[in-house]
C-alpha cells in the first residue's frame, strides 16, 4: 500500500479496513518527508530524480522480500492513492508479471512523455483498477486513459472508472470495485 504526497504509511493502512483486507499481510513503505518525488508526476522524469529511482527501488525491495518468502507474485496486490498510485503504476509497468491485482486510485504512469521502453514483462491477466475524477487537479483523465491502454497492451485486465466532478478522494464505489479484485 503506497501513500500519497503529504500522507503517511499509517494513513494508507487505514484503507485496509475499508477493503476488508484483514487476512492480508500489509506492507506500507514510508516516503522520506512524506513525498516519493518532488515534482508533478507529469513533469519530465529528470525533474523527479534521484527521488523517483529511490522510491522505485524501495518498492522493489518490498516486493522482492515478499517473493523471497515463497509468496507467488499472483498473491501480491499493490494499492496506491494519488502520488502513491502513480508510483505503484510505474513500478508495476516496469516490473510486469502476474500479480494478484493493482489498485490505482487516482494515478497514472510517470513522466511528461511516457518511455514505454522502460516497461518490461507481461501482466498475464492481472486485474487492474484505475480511477480518477474528471477533472482532477493532479491527475488528468488523458494520463489515466493512456496508462490503462499501456497496461492492457501488457496483458492486464483493466477496469477504468472516471467520475465526473469527483474530488481528489476515493469513493465507496471504488472501494467496492477494489474489494471484488481482492476477493
Amino acid at each position: 500500500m503506497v501513500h500519497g504526497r503529504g500522507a503517511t504509511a499509517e494513513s494508507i493502512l487505514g484503507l485496509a479496513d475499508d477493503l476488508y483486507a484483514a487476512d492480508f499481510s500489509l506492507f506500507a513503505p514510508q516516503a522520506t518527508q512524506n513525498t516519493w518525488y518532488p515534482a508533478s508526476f507529469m513533469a519530465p522524469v529528470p525533474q523527479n530524480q534521484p527521488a523517483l529511482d529511490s522510491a522505485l527501488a524501495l518498492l522493489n525491495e518490498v516486493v522482492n522480500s515478499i517473493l523471497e518468502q515463497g509468496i507467488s507474485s499472483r498473491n501480491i496486490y499493490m494499492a496506491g492513492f494519488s502520488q502513491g498510485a502513480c508510483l505503484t503504476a510505474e513500478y508495476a509497468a516496469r516490473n510486469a508479471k502476474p500479480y494478484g491485482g493493482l489498485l490505482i486510485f487516482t494515478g497514472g504512469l510517470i513522466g511528461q512523455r511516457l518511455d514505454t521502453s522502460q516497461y518490461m514483462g507481461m501482466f498475464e491477466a492481472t486485474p487492474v483498477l484505475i480511477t480518477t475524477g474528471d477533472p482532477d487537479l493532479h491527475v488528468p483523465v488523458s494520463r489515466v486513459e493512456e496508462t490503462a491502454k499501456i497496461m492492457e497492451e501488457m496483458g492486464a485486465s483493466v477496469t477504468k472508472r472516471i467520475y465526473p466532478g469527483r474530488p481528489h478522494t476515493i469513493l465507496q464505489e471504488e472501494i467496492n470495485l477494489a474489494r471484488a479484485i481482492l476477493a
Side-chain angles (χ1 to χ4, degrees):
M1 300 185 81
V2 187
H3 68 80
R5 184 187 305 270
T8 63
E10 184 177 329
S11 69
I12 194 74
L13 285 170
L15 186 59
D17 290 339
D18 294 327
L19 294 174
Y20 301 153
D23 292 340
F24 287 74
S25 294
L26 303 175
F27 298 82
Q30 175 64 52
T32 302
Q33 297 180 353
N34 300 14
T35 189
W36 296 107
Y37 44 85
S40 163
F41 86 109
M42 297 287 292
V45 169
Q47 290 182 17
N48 279 314
Q49 295 296 9
L52 177 58
D53 282 347
S54 177
L56 290 167
L58 179 58
L59 289 190
N60 196 54
E61 286 176 28
V62 172
V63 169
N64 283 338
S65 74
I66 295 167
L67 293 170
E68 288 167 3
Q69 295 174 48
I71 306 297
S72 163
S73 65
R74 290 194 184 276
N75 290 320
I76 296 175
Y77 296 80
M78 289 183 259
F81 174 67
S82 192
Q83 190 184 55
C86 297
L87 187 62
T88 298
E90 187 70 19
Y91 173 80
R94 290 181 183 208
N95 300 277
K97 56 181 55 110
Y99 294 108
L102 304 174
L103 310 175
I104 303 168
F105 297 112
T106 312
L109 293 167
I110 297 173
Q112 183 179 31
R113 290 191 173 87
L114 298 181
D115 179 3
T116 57
S117 70
Q118 297 284 319
Y119 307 143
M120 305 288 177
M122 292 296 291
F123 286 115
E124 298 180 32
T126 294
V128 175
L129 173 64
I130 183 167
T131 65
T132 196
D134 182 16
D136 184 271
L137 295 174
H138 306 286
V139 180
V141 170
S142 60
R143 181 50 57 91
V144 168
E145 291 173 343
E146 191 175 11
T147 299
K149 181 178 183 281
I150 288 169
M151 289 187 161
E152 285 172 342
E153 290 169 355
M154 295 177 73
S157 176
V158 176
T159 300
K160 176 182 68 179
R161 292 290 187 272
I162 299 167
Y163 299 95
R166 188 205 72 188
H168 194 70
T169 189
I170 302 172
L171 300 176
Q172 185 61 49
E173 180 181 328
E174 294 168 274
I175 295 294
N176 294 343
L177 291 166
R179 286 177 185 161
I181 290 172
L182 295 173

